[in-house]
Amino acid sequence: MAPALIELRDIVKSYPSGGTPVRVLHGITLAIREGEFVAIVGQSGSGKSTLMNILGCLDKPSSGEYLFAGRDVARLDADALAALRRGTFGFIFQRYNLIGNETAAENVEIPAVYAGMARRERSARARALLERLGLRDRVDYRPTQLSGGQQQRVSIARALMNGGRVILADEPTGALDTKSGREVMAQLHELHRAGHTIILITHDHTVASEAERVIQLRDGEVVDDRRTAPARAPAPAPQPAAPSATRTSLLPDVIEAVKMALRSLRTNLFRTVLTLLGIIIGVGAVIAMLALGDGSKAQVLSRIEAMGTDLLVVRPGARNVRTRDESAALVAEDAEAIGELPNVRESVGEHARGVTVRYGENDYVTLGTGATANYARARNWSTARGTFFSDADVRGVAPVAVLGKTVVDNLFRRGENPVGRYVLINNIPFQVIGVLAPKGANSSGTDMDDTILMPLSTARMRLFGRNYVRVITVQVADMEQVEETEAAIAALLTERHRKVDFQIRNNASLMETASETQNTMTMLLGSIAAISLLVGGIGVMNIMLVSVTERIREIGIRMATGARMLHILLQFMTEALVVCSVGGAIGVAGGLAAAWVAGRLGSPVVFSLPPVAMAFGSAFLIGLLFGFLPARRAARMDPVTALATE
């Protein structure tokens, strides 16, 4: 006699039921040898299906010993049991247990996928098995396109995919007509002759009589164990189909998981699209909001830069102190004294007031600014036409003016050259000697081109009648010493005025403050958009939980055919990642398109790679985080419970 391949010693199986466990198997002891054809027969409730689950390592006994080839199965963890099922057992179920969204060939390949067999090798083997079982023309059919007998033959091919040393057939003819049932039994006999150990579970004594050994169960106990045919010398046991190469990474598993994920998502296309929408909207909103926020920031900073970032602006009046003569605190001599300080490149005294300018029949109200000749150098403001007034013009109180672009547009005809023309400023004639290059709006939104510049001496004597200046603009040579220069100006003016009746504003610090403010606004916009991305992630988790619930039987099938916990975890995590990645990619395109449209409509927009990478990375991370809980739930399922779920 050959040594026992399967040996059960006093196997007991109980299930919890309230406070008192229900015992299903009562001390089963038996041995099955290599190459036997054994039928386990009994009525419903006799415990035969529970015994089959224990024999196939789908379930564990409550007590007793189960030895397979001398190896104590009770000592194996979940992954080791999965490896044993994958490499040794082949299951043929009464209800076929085929995965509906996969073809016959793909169903047959499942055990080889988890065994790590190369794609071409397993595809060729699956097609060969189906051809051997008479399904050559049905390899690309889905289960719903096959008859019951054909589906059962696909199930047999799947059981043989990795070798199928032991074939466990649970009521393989129960759902078939008489002819198909005879064909299945003939195939089991052929497998037995080929060396497979066959364990047939049935309630039909006629079917059981075809085995060479019949074990009868009643109420969880063996009541009869007899031979119906003499034991024959078994053929050599089939060897498991080994992987084509040693696996050294998870990459093949990941690739297969992506394929299965895409297949599953395609099956529920409408639900997949609805799930994608949350991620698409979230990612698109993040990208569009950040693009608009960065554009607004760039616009504000460019306006400040147009004013000059190397400038210190001195104005009359102490901070938070109001005096009656504060407007007269600064004079032109103060600007000249500041110009003598170290690190000061230019010091410009300015006096501005609203004026009415007329040319021909056109009147226009604008800002008239009297300044010294170095105004243009301090402001980095060039002329588009003509020239700027000179020191000689200032000393000679020359009635000359330089116009901003907005003033030119409102006074002169399109294409007309203002240089050399005379305009009336508050009814006093001035000759136009130049037109300023356009600068646009400043940080407060004021149009910087809506101005007329003239010599400070001319403005004081002919227009304003005042000797003081309203502002002194100081251009700093070295910005690294700007704080020392600011302190030197404050000390100089305090000494000259005998009091602090002025205030100094640093344009560089203004730019820093504006930048920080805009960053805060951008982060606020991004955070609001990120909330929608988070909501989309919650939607992904809910859909994945629904998917796991709907596919419990599929999970059981995969576990029965050798899937480890890692395989199940990887499959469902990959589905979540695929959804979020596809949604993220579409969201990126949508967000960029929305920002582009906003830009075309006049909103300031700045496109950059970091927001795009951040939004897509966030979508990927959300898939990872929100897909983990459903995937973990699927991976921890009990295969027996999963297979029994309708």
Side-chain angles (χ1 to χ4, degrees):
M1 297 287 290
L5 177 66
I6 295 173
E7 188 173 359
L8 305 182
R9 299 175 183 173
D10 198 23
I11 293 296
V12 174
K13 181 63 180 178
S14 301
Y15 293 101
S17 178
T20 305
V22 176
R23 180 173 289 188
V24 179
L25 298 181
H26 302 266
I28 300 291
T29 298
L30 59 86
I32 299 175
R33 304 185 187 281
E34 185 88 64
E36 280 194 288
F37 191 156
V38 179
I40 299 176
V41 65
Q43 297 302 314
S44 296
S46 62
K48 60 184 186 298
S49 293
T50 301
L51 180 59
M52 187 205 77
N53 291 333
I54 292 174
L55 289 171
C57 298
L58 293 171
D59 202 0
K60 288 187 176 183
S62 301
S63 62
E65 285 186 301
Y66 174 18
L67 303 178
F68 184 87
R71 187 182 184 186
D72 188 356
V73 175
R75 297 180 181 274
L76 303 180
D77 61 15
D79 285 348
L81 290 173
L84 188 59
R85 291 193 297 269
R86 182 170 61 244
T88 302
F89 293 101
F91 292 89
I92 303 173
F93 299 100
Q94 177 181 358
R95 291 186 293 178
Y96 325 128
N97 283 344
L98 302 178
I99 297 176
N101 62 352
E102 299 190 356
T103 65
E106 289 168 345
N107 269 280
V108 174
E109 289 180 33
I110 290 174
V113 170
Y114 298 128
M117 188 180 295
R119 184 181 62 83
R120 290 184 180 179
E121 184 180 348
R122 68 171 183 262
S123 178
R125 179 172 173 81
R127 290 176 179 272
L129 286 170
L130 289 170
E131 184 176 349
R132 170 183 164 189
L133 293 171
L135 296 174
R136 179 177 183 178
D137 298 330
R138 297 290 186 272
V139 292
D140 295 321
Y141 282 43
R142 300 191 185 280
T144 53
Q145 299 172 297
L146 302 174
S147 67
Q150 290 170 336
Q151 290 186 62
Q152 194 61 286
R153 278 183 277 170
V154 173
S155 179
I156 293 172
R158 183 180 62 193
L160 298 174
M161 186 65 193
N162 285 352
R165 183 179 181 184
V166 178
I167 303 295
L168 290 166
D170 183 15
E171 301 281 5
T173 63
L176 302 177
D177 56 52
T178 303
K179 178 183 177 183
S180 297
R182 285 199 300 268
E183 292 175 352
V184 168
M185 289 306 300
Q187 288 160 355
L188 290 178
H189 282 293
E190 182 181 344
L191 295 176
H192 177 228
R193 288 191 293 271
H196 296 270
T197 302
I198 310 295
I199 300 177
L200 173 67
I201 310 297
T202 182
H203 69 279
D204 190 334
H205 286 271
T206 302
V207 173
S209 65
E210 297 195 34
E212 62 184 20
R213 178 184 172 191
V214 178
I215 299 172
Q216 184 170 358
L217 293 185
R218 183 181 300 140
D219 297 329
E221 296 180 340
V222 176
V223 296
D224 189 21
D225 185 352
R226 69 184 187 279
R227 291 196 168 275
T228 59
R232 295 178 296 178
Q239 296 300 311
S244 56
T246 302
R247 300 286 289 276
T248 58
S249 71
L250 281 176
L251 183 59
D253 291 327
V254 171
I255 293 173
E256 291 302 325
V258 170
K259 291 179 181 177
M260 289 187 285
L262 291 173
R263 191 181 302 132
S264 175
L265 295 173
R266 189 170 59 247
T267 301
N268 297 292
L269 188 59
F270 183 69
R271 187 171 68 190
T272 300
V273 171
L274 292 179
T275 308
L276 286 173
L277 280 177
I279 301 299
I280 291 171
I281 293 172
V283 171
V286 168
I287 291 175
M289 290 297 100
L290 291 181
L292 288 168
D294 288 343
S296 176
K297 174 184 174 182
Q299 185 182 61
V300 170
L301 295 183
S302 67
R303 288 173 176 175
I304 296 175
E305 287 179 352
M307 297 169 57
T309 57
D310 56 352
L311 300 180
L312 295 174
V313 179
V314 185
R315 296 185 181 277
R319 293 182 184 275
N320 304 319
V321 177
R322 302 287 294 181
T323 63
R324 299 179 66 179
D325 61 343
E326 64 177 12
S327 62
L330 299 176
V331 294
E333 289 74 14
D334 290 331
E336 294 174 2
I338 292 172
E340 300 297 326
L341 292 174
N343 199 39
V344 173
R345 179 174 293 160
E346 303 288 351
S347 179
V348 183
E350 304 172 29
H351 193 128
R353 182 180 294 180
V355 296
T356 300
V357 57
R358 174 180 295 177
Y359 177 75
E361 297 180 355
N362 297 327
D363 286 348
Y364 185 68
V365 177
T366 185
L367 182 68
T369 301
T372 52
N374 55 352
Y375 178 94
R377 295 194 299 272
R379 297 279 186 172
N380 294 317
W381 204 343
S382 60
T383 54
R385 289 180 177 179
T387 62
F388 206 79
F389 49 83
S390 64
D391 289 327
D393 293 326
V394 176
R395 290 192 301 269
V397 195
V400 293
V402 181
L403 308 185
K405 183 178 182 300
T406 302
V407 177
V408 173
D409 292 341
N410 282 277
L411 290 180
F412 296 89
R413 293 190 305 272
R414 187 181 183 88
E416 185 178 0
N417 186 1
V419 177
R421 309 286 183 177
Y422 282 86
V423 297
L424 296 178
I425 302 176
N426 289 355
N427 293 320
I428 297 174
F430 280 75
Q431 184 181 21
V432 179
I433 62 172
V435 176
L436 294 168
K439 275 209 171 188
N442 61 17
S443 59
S444 60
T446 303
D447 184 4
M448 297 179 67
D449 299 320
D450 191 3
T451 187
I452 293 179
L453 299 178
M454 63 197 78
L456 179 60
S457 57
T458 307
R460 287 190 311 191
M461 295 181 62
R462 300 197 177 195
L463 295 178
F464 306 145
R466 295 290 188 270
N467 191 40
Y468 56 83
V469 296
R470 291 186 179 274
V471 65
I472 299 175
T473 302
V474 181
Q475 186 182 40
V476 179
D478 184 0
M479 287 301 296
E480 293 184 0
Q481 302 178 32
V482 66
E483 293 182 0
E484 293 84 349
T485 304
E486 184 177 346
I489 293 171
L492 173 66
L493 293 179
T494 302
E495 181 181 356
R496 287 176 60 88
H497 297 185
R498 304 297 183 183
K499 59 182 177 179
V500 179
D501 55 356
F502 58 89
Q503 51 186 298
I504 304 174
R505 185 186 70 184
N506 186 341
N507 273 12
S509 63
L510 175 63
M511 188 168 185
E512 182 179 348
T513 302
S515 179
E516 291 176 356
T517 302
Q518 289 298 318
N519 285 339
T520 301
M521 292 301 297
T522 301
M523 289 302 296
L524 178 61
L525 290 173
S527 299
I528 293 172
I531 292 174
S532 62
L533 187 57
L534 181 63
V535 172
I538 295 173
V540 170
M541 183 173 67
N542 289 336
I543 293 299
M544 290 306 302
L545 286 171
V546 171
S547 179
V548 169
T549 302
E550 290 179 347
R551 295 161 60 190
I552 291 178
R553 176 178 286 275
E554 176 190 333
I555 294 168
I557 295 169
R558 294 186 182 280
M559 288 181 168
T561 53
R564 294 184 294 150
M565 291 179 63
L566 177 62
H567 290 128
I568 303 299
L569 184 72
L570 189 62
Q571 178 181 346
F572 283 92
M573 291 249 342
T574 302
E575 289 187 19
L577 289 173
V578 167
V579 167
C580 290
S581 298
V582 173
I586 298 174
V588 166
L592 292 175
W596 179 81
V597 171
R600 298 288 292 180
L601 294 176
S603 298
V605 174
V606 171
F607 295 102
S608 59
L609 182 60
V612 173
M614 183 192 72
F616 185 81
S618 297
F620 191 85
L621 184 62
I622 279 176
L624 196 65
L625 293 177
F626 287 92
F628 177 73
L629 184 61
R632 181 172 173 267
R633 178 187 175 194
R636 290 192 168 190
M637 283 186 178
D638 178 56
V640 173
T641 305
L643 283 169
T645 302
E646 295 293 339

